[in-house]
Amino acid sequence: TKMIRGYADVQNRKTLPTKQPPHSSRDLPTIPEVDQHEMERKLHDLASILSSDWKGQDYVAPVLARRIRDFQFAREKRKKKYGGTHSIGIFGLYEHLSKVKVDVQWAEDAAWRRIEGKPYLTWADFEAEKKEHRRRPYFTFIIVSVCTAMMFTSFLVDDWNVEPLSVNPMIGPSAETLVALGAKDSFLIVVEQEVWRLVTSGVLHAGLIHYFINMFALFYVAKAVESVHGFWAVSTLFVISSTGGTILSAIFLPQYITVGASGGILGLIG
């Protein structure tokens, strides 16, 4: 009797519409039917059913998760080899960001090599290759040399005399000497049409203190920017920023004579 009833039940079930279990594989569309974001959302929903730990958490694609692990591995290797950031202030920040950029590039390169089936390039070899192809800071050497030459020239024109600290606290030549060499003078720029002073004032300095502070900042900042972006990029940024700063000084501070590479340095920092 049980066998007959069991057979009858089976026959009845065959005639009834089949119910699909909730969240089966048939409910998930194939990749061509949806975009990547939609697929990731459905994968997250499915994972939340399998495990309650996934609820409320963002789904991370396996490819992206692998790249994040590669980046973290590169950061650990760098810290183990070089230690922490040695510079402070804006120099330390730029050094840190430059190293982060290299580590991200290594993670991207490792991902590309996995996809293409290329030989694996270790982080140490990648770092050495980057250093080998890093651009030489030619503009930095040129602009520092020009500023140094103009500093000596200003003392030479002034017969190696130094103004009293009450007149020039920067330990440097007289204002007349700086004007003769090309300092910013709003009257001469506007009335006498000596527009070349907008450029020459950026390589002059009021004295030794002014010179050493600016050269220290210029050397490290310009060198870091040029090693990443190249000669023409850093030279264009410096000239535009320096000239723009002189123009603003001529407009808003017409009564003062100004010199210095501070405008160009701030432009590079920006």
Side-chain angles (χ1 to χ4, degrees):
T1 304
K2 289 181 180 180
M3 291 176 62
I4 295 174
R5 288 180 178 178
Y7 176 78
D9 290 339
V10 171
Q11 290 298 106
N12 291 333
R13 289 176 183 175
K14 288 184 178 180
T15 59
L16 294 175
T18 304
K19 288 186 179 181
Q20 296 293 336
H23 301 286
S24 67
S25 59
R26 297 182 183 181
D27 294 334
L28 292 174
T30 58
I31 291 178
E33 297 177 0
V34 295
D35 58 8
Q36 185 68 20
H37 296 291
E38 181 66 16
M39 176 58 70
E40 290 181 359
R41 186 187 65 80
K42 289 191 173 293
L43 287 173
H44 179 271
D45 293 342
L46 181 60
S48 64
I49 296 172
L50 298 176
S51 175
S52 60
D53 296 337
W54 280 82
K55 291 183 179 180
Q57 298 184 9
D58 295 331
Y59 171 77
V60 180
V63 176
L64 178 59
R66 182 62 184 272
R67 294 188 183 187
I68 293 175
R69 289 197 299 270
D70 289 339
F71 172 74
Q72 292 172 342
F73 171 79
R75 298 301 298 167
E76 292 175 0
K77 294 289 288 185
R78 179 178 298 280
K79 186 176 181 180
K80 183 178 179 180
K81 184 175 182 180
Y82 297 107
T85 302
H86 302 291
S87 302
I88 59 174
I90 188 65
F91 309 116
L93 175 61
Y94 200 93
E95 179 186 355
H96 173 73
L97 293 178
S98 299
K99 292 178 179 178
V100 167
K101 180 180 178 181
V102 174
D103 293 339
V104 170
Q105 290 175 343
W106 179 82
E108 292 292 331
D109 180 77
W112 175 81
R113 290 176 182 273
R114 277 195 300 270
I115 295 173
E116 299 295 330
K118 301 290 184 180
Y120 180 77
L121 185 63
T122 64
W123 175 85
D125 293 338
F126 186 83
E127 174 77 2
E129 184 178 322
K130 280 290 182 180
K131 286 186 175 181
E132 182 180 353
H133 293 87
R134 191 166 294 171
R135 299 177 177 91
R136 299 284 184 180
Y138 293 116
F139 175 79
T140 304
F141 297 148
I142 292 173
I143 193 64
V144 170
S145 299
V146 171
C147 291
T148 303
M150 294 305 297
M151 188 76 256
F152 278 104
T153 303
S154 63
F155 280 110
L156 180 63
V157 172
D158 210 23
D159 294 329
W160 303 102
N161 294 320
V162 177
E163 290 290 291
L165 295 180
S166 58
V167 179
N168 185 355
M170 295 295 174
I171 313 177
S174 63
E176 291 77 10
T177 301
L178 294 175
V179 171
L181 292 176
K184 184 227 80 180
D185 188 318
S186 299
F187 175 81
L188 296 177
I189 293 174
V190 176
V191 178
E192 301 296 334
Q193 301 296 310
E194 296 180 1
V195 293
W196 47 271
R197 293 179 178 274
L198 298 176
V199 178
T200 57
S201 61
V203 295
L204 291 169
H205 290 85
L208 293 177
I209 297 177
H210 190 200
Y211 164 80
F212 282 114
I213 292 176
N214 272 4
M215 291 306 100
F216 176 80
L218 179 61
F219 181 79
Y220 281 99
V221 175
K223 181 182 177 183
V225 176
E226 189 173 4
S227 64
V228 177
H229 301 289
F231 178 91
W232 294 110
V234 71
S235 59
T236 302
L237 284 172
F238 181 85
V239 172
I240 292 177
S241 302
S242 178
T243 306
T246 306
I247 292 174
L248 292 176
S249 176
I251 294 173
F252 295 102
L253 299 171
Q255 69 276 22
Y256 294 105
I257 295 172
T258 56
V259 292
S262 303
I265 295 171
L266 292 175
L268 294 177
I269 292 175

